[in-house]
């Protein structure tokens, strides 16, 4: 990856994180942990990979993203706003009555949201359907989907996995946000998610494993996956829950956290310092 | 409307209607959950191999995949036995289809006791109650092959999501192609002023018509309504029947709670409360047996309907 591209992506990720933290602080609390862990992926997809047009969010042959772990909405909204799908002022309406930005991603409310997520396990089935629909309609389009490791405890994830594998949906790219945590604590203490690459391989998926906070690794995995025909693609992303919202990093209870407006600015300053930004 | 009398079984008529629609509408696709041989969606696969998908025995995923397909502009019909098509896939139908405003037409076969030899594990008694809770779903259950064909065509043309509650095996021809069969409008099969019998589905409409003959022999004239469309409820016909007869017996091959009788009672309570009685599966699970045994066991017989109607107006 070219150094200037890498820097631009890092800058974008920083801005998405700032917007997300302020967005959640505007309401006073929210799903910070699972939002922050996927920021690099969102930046990469929307700025380097996906064929989307913010001025025409329902363009029929667009690439689509299903955020199956729909509680990551705040980060998705921050990305969509920065990309121009809707005004950035909307971000301060998160979860307020009548908002277009509800806690969990909702395709009926938010421009740029391709499918509703939040009832865990359901988004990946819809993503399989969308990828199949793109194939039926002979579109040269792809479906991207983000699932969680806690979410992978849902049986529906595996129904969808075997279905996509059997149907050889090679236009489907699913990213697993493997941050090791879920609402009640560490995944290893609840229902451990072990042998993940082997599991997806057994369901006939093309599997890649990356540091989900590393743009170069994400790019390499996505480009490798695009060269593998006849299989859906699983990119296992090792991530840190709450990455970039430093007060939440390493905390057990970081799924949803209260954030004050002052706290948000302090957290952004701390992140700015850690990233060596002026 | 096309003459559906050439179809030998209910399943042939419902799939025949979908195949006829699919010839005109390339956006129609069909998903089954390893029961395509049972409903005959193999005929759709034969005609449109690139538009048929067997999702295997995974109904929840099938409903979610259908929702995804719908979001790309396709119109999926999906099938499983009624219990699996609704109970097993309910949150997916509720959230991924209903909440997202995606359009999916769900065929749930073997309603109520018509599941017969598959027994209690396979009998949908509460499917109507479940599907009623999802805003936007039209629900119908035909009482013969001609109406099944006609209503399936109309359900597609309505532009709504739909739950089609249909038997698979057997046949019954009550209507001709010239009869007026309209989604959302019940059909008055007999006119009488003493008592109104509102029946839904093959088992109950057959029994109700026979019961009306038994009642006539006793000097009681019954109106019999084939209430094929459960949602939207034909409130106009129900109110008219209630005011003309003054007493209503509602017969359904399913459960009272959330079912047709409860819908009608709660509607009439607000406009014209009349004496009512209800025939349904009560507070029981299903069991195995042939249709005759099960109909007698649950009281879904002409004798029992006549007895309840008579008791209602005494």
């Amino acid at each position: 990856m070219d150094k200037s591209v890498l820097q631009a992506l890092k800058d974008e990720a920083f801005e998405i994180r700032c917007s997300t933290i302020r967005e959640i602080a505007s309401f006073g609390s929210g799903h910070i942990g699972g939002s922050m862990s996927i920021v690099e992926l969102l930046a990469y997809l929307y700025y380097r990979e996906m064929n989307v047009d913010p001025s025409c969010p329902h363009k029929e042959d667009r690439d689509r993203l299903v955020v199956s772990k729909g509680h990551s909405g705040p980060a998705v909204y921050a990305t969509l706003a920065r990309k121009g799908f809707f005004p950035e002022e909307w971000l301060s309406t998160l979860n307020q009555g009548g908002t277009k930005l509800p806690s969990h991603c909702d395709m009926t409310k938010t421009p740029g949201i391709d499918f509703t997520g939040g009832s865990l396990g359901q988004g990946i089935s819809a993503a399989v359907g969308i990828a199949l629909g793109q194939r039926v309609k002979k579109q040269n389009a792809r479906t991207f989907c983000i699932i969680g490791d806690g979410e992978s405890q849902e049986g529906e994830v595996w129904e969808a996995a075997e279905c996509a594998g059997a149907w050889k949906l090679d236009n489907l790219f699913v990213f697993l946000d493997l941050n090791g945590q879920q609402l009640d604590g560490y995944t290893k203490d609840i229902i451990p998610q072990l042998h993940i690459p082997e599991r997806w391989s057994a369901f006939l998926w093309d599997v890649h494993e990356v540091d989900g906070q590393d743009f170069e690794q994400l790019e390499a995995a996505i480009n490798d996956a695009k060269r593998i025909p006849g299989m859906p693609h699983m990119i296992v992303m090792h991530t840190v829950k709450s990455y970039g919202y430093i007060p939440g990093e390493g905390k057990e209870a970081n799924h949803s956290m209260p954030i004050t407006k002052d706290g948000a600015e302090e957290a952004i300053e701390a992140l700015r310092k850690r990233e060596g930004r002026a | 409307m096309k003459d559906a009398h050439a179809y030998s079984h209910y399943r042939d008529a419902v799939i025949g209607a979908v195949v006829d629609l699919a010839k005109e509408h390339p956006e129609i696709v069909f998903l089954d959950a390893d029961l395509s041989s049972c409903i005959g969606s193999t005929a759709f696969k034969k005609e449109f191999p690139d538009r048929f998908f067997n999702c295997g025995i995974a109904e929840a995923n099938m409903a979610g995949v259908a929702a995804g397909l719908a979001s790309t502009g396709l119109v999926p019909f999906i099938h499983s036995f009624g219990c699996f098509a609704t109970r097993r896939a309910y949150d997916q139908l509720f959230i991924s289809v209903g909440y997202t405003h995606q359009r999916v037409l769900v065929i749930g076969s073997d309603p109520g006791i018509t599941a017969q030899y598959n027994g209690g594990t396979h009998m949908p008694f509460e499917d109507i109650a479940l599907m009623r809770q999802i805003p936007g779903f039209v629900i119908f259950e035909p009482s013969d092959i001609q109406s099944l064909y006609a209503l399936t065509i109309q359900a597609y043309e309505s532009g709504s999501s739909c739950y089609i509650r249909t038997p698979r095996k057997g046949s019954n021809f009550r209507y001709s192609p010239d009869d007026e069969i309209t989604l959302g409008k019940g059909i008055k099969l007999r006119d009488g002023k003493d008592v109104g019998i509102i029946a839904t589905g093959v088992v109950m409409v057959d029994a109700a018509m026979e019961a009306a003959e038994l009642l006539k022999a006793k000097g009681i004239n019954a109106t019999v309504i084939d209430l094929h469309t459960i949602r939207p409820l034909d409130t106009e016909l129900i109110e008219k029947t209630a005011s003309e007869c003054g007493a209503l017996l509602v017969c359904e091959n399913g459960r009272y709670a959330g079912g047709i009788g409860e819908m009608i009672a709660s509607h009439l309570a607000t406009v014209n409360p009349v004496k009512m009685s209800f025939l349904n599966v009560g507070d029981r699970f299903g069991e195995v047996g042939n249709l005759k045994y099960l109909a007698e066991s649950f009281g879904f017989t002409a004798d029992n309907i006549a007895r309840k109607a008579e008791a209602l107006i005494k």
Side-chain angles (χ1 to χ4, degrees):
Chain A
M1 183 182 283
D2 183 90
K3 275 187 178 169
S4 63
V5 171
L6 178 60
Q7 191 55 50
L9 283 169
K10 284 182 173 177
D11 292 347
E12 191 55 43
F14 177 76
E15 295 300 333
I16 292 170
R17 285 201 162 91
C18 295
S19 290
T20 305
I21 294 167
R22 290 189 177 114
E23 177 188 4
I24 290 175
S26 76
F27 183 71
S29 67
H31 292 115
I32 187 75
S35 290
M36 301 306 265
S37 54
I38 63 165
V39 167
E40 278 75 13
L41 175 63
L42 291 171
Y44 189 82
L45 289 179
Y46 279 99
Y47 286 89
R48 296 287 292 170
E49 192 61 43
M50 285 175 64
N51 171 26
V52 291
D53 179 357
S55 67
C56 189
H58 295 294
K59 195 164 173 245
E60 204 184 327
D61 62 349
R62 68 191 186 277
D63 290 336
R64 304 186 193 213
L65 171 65
V66 180
V67 184
S68 193
K69 51 182 298 265
H71 53 279
S72 297
V76 184
Y77 305 148
T79 309
L80 291 174
R82 289 188 55 74
K83 187 80 182 164
F85 280 87
F86 49 82
E88 293 197 52
E89 294 75 56
W90 286 18
L91 296 176
S92 61
T93 69
L94 179 76
N95 279 348
Q96 307 285 354
T99 186
K100 290 183 168 63
L101 308 181
S103 190
H104 298 85
C105 295
D106 189 329
M107 67 189 294
T108 69
K109 295 192 163 55
T110 315
I113 295 293
D114 291 315
F115 208 87
T116 296
S119 180
L120 294 176
Q122 295 201 26
I124 185 170
S125 289
V128 171
I130 294 169
L132 181 64
Q134 290 168 330
R135 177 192 282 183
V136 170
K137 297 184 118 183
K138 298 185 168 46
Q139 293 172 349
N140 184 27
R142 301 158 302 163
T143 301
F144 299 90
C145 176
I146 310 174
I147 63 170
D149 47 358
E151 179 180 16
S152 301
Q153 292 157 0
E154 290 278 7
E156 187 178 357
V157 169
W158 303 99
E159 289 188 1
E162 68 177 358
C163 193
W167 292 345
K168 303 178 170 49
L169 288 174
D170 54 11
N171 61 333
L172 176 63
F173 298 74
V174 178
F175 299 83
L176 172 61
D177 180 17
L178 183 57
N179 59 39
Q181 292 182 252
Q182 56 190 111
L183 193 149
D184 268 347
Y186 293 99
T187 305
K188 68 179 173 52
D189 299 327
I190 298 171
I191 300 291
Q193 296 297 296
L194 305 173
H195 311 295
I196 288 168
E198 293 84 351
R199 283 206 230 173
W200 288 88
S201 290
F203 281 87
L204 307 178
W205 286 58
D206 158 48
V207 182
H208 306 260
E209 220 172 338
V210 300
D211 176 342
Q213 258 74 64
D214 184 316
F215 283 112
E216 289 174 303
Q217 288 192 33
L218 277 171
E219 179 178 71
I222 291 168
N223 287 340
D224 284 350
K226 286 192 281 193
R227 288 191 282 268
I228 307 287
M231 298 173 99
H233 313 285
M234 161 52 61
I235 290 139
V236 179
M237 305 191 305
H238 294 272
T239 58
V240 174
K241 194 160 180 172
S242 187
Y243 187 74
Y245 179 67
I246 298 169
E249 290 179 5
K251 298 275 169 54
E252 187 167 348
N254 63 5
H255 185 75
S256 178
M257 298 178 79
I259 303 178
T260 63
K261 286 181 181 166
D262 287 346
E265 296 311 317
E266 286 168 21
I268 288 167
E269 265 320 296
L271 179 62
R272 194 188 301 277
K273 199 176 286 181
R274 187 169 81 180
E275 292 193 357
R277 295 177 180 277
Chain B
M1 182 54 68
K2 168 178 157 176
D3 187 344
H5 286 61
Y7 294 119
S8 306
H9 293 275
Y10 302 107
R11 62 187 172 202
D12 304 330
V14 68
I15 298 302
V18 180
V19 168
D20 286 350
L21 285 165
K23 287 174 185 166
E24 303 293 321
H25 303 282
E27 71 275 17
I28 291 177
V29 293
F30 201 106
L31 277 63
D32 211 313
D34 196 41
L35 293 175
S36 59
S37 314
C38 298
I39 195 68
S41 57
T42 41
F44 186 100
K45 181 182 180 182
K46 193 175 170 194
E47 194 86 26
F48 308 105
D50 297 335
R51 291 154 62 186
F52 175 88
F53 306 97
N54 198 327
C55 297
I57 310 162
E59 297 80 8
N61 180 59
M62 175 171 73
V65 168
L69 284 162
S71 78
T72 69
L74 297 168
V75 180
F77 282 75
I78 69 175
H79 166 258
S80 185
F81 291 153
C83 49
F84 308 133
T86 59
R87 279 203 312 258
R88 190 64 172 249
Y90 191 61
D91 196 38
Q92 288 70 24
L93 291 174
F94 193 95
I95 294 293
S96 290
V97 176
Y99 183 78
T100 61
H101 308 171
Q102 298 309 304
R103 184 183 184 207
V104 175
L105 293 99
V106 182
I107 301 170
S109 57
D110 288 5
I113 63 170
T114 68
Q116 298 185 82
Y117 302 117
N118 276 326
T121 54
H122 286 53
M123 284 185 181
F125 287 169
E126 54 297 299
D127 50 337
I128 291 170
L130 288 169
M131 297 308 288
R132 270 184 72 197
Q133 313 305 316
I134 310 178
F137 261 85
V138 165
I139 305 171
F140 77 83
E141 178 179 357
S143 73
D144 91 325
I145 281 186
Q146 184 68 42
S147 58
L148 171 56
Y149 182 89
L151 294 169
T152 303
I153 300 285
Q154 290 175 33
Y156 172 79
E157 290 170 346
S158 76
S160 297
S161 286
C162 184
Y163 177 52
I164 301 171
R165 190 179 203 247
T166 180
R168 282 187 296 135
K169 297 177 187 170
S171 64
N172 187 328
F173 294 98
R174 197 179 315 281
Y175 302 112
S176 77
D178 299 329
D179 285 332
E180 193 172 317
I181 301 165
T182 307
L183 192 68
K185 295 287 172 199
I187 299 170
K188 187 185 277 193
L189 295 172
R190 277 183 78 113
D191 206 357
K193 301 296 180 210
D194 298 326
V195 64
I197 304 174
I198 296 178
T200 297
V202 175
V203 172
M204 286 306 195
V205 174
D206 277 357
M209 288 299 281
E210 209 182 310
E213 286 297 321
L214 298 176
L215 289 166
K216 192 182 175 191
K218 291 185 167 186
I220 299 168
N221 292 310
T223 285
V224 177
I225 304 288
D226 172 4
L227 192 72
H228 50 70
T229 305
I230 300 157
R231 193 161 182 253
L233 196 61
D234 186 355
T235 52
E236 188 183 342
L237 181 61
I238 287 164
E239 286 174 32
K240 191 163 182 284
T241 308
S243 67
E244 284 175 0
C245 300
L248 293 182
L249 168 62
V250 184
C251 306
E252 61 188 303
N253 183 4
R255 201 169 308 285
Y256 175 76
I260 303 161
E262 194 181 79
M263 285 174 84
I264 293 172
S266 63
H267 175 72
L268 288 176
T270 63
V271 289
N272 178 21
V274 295
K275 284 180 74 179
M276 291 187 73
S277 181
F278 306 94
L279 178 59
N280 46 64
V281 299
D283 199 25
R284 284 174 62 179
F285 289 109
E287 60 176 295
V288 78
N290 66 23
L291 197 56
K292 186 169 182 299
Y293 165 81
L294 292 164
E296 283 172 3
S297 173
F298 283 91
F300 294 176
T301 61
D303 283 345
N304 194 38
I305 292 174
R307 187 183 59 74
K308 285 180 82 82
E310 201 176 347
L312 177 64
I313 58 172
K314 262 191 178 164

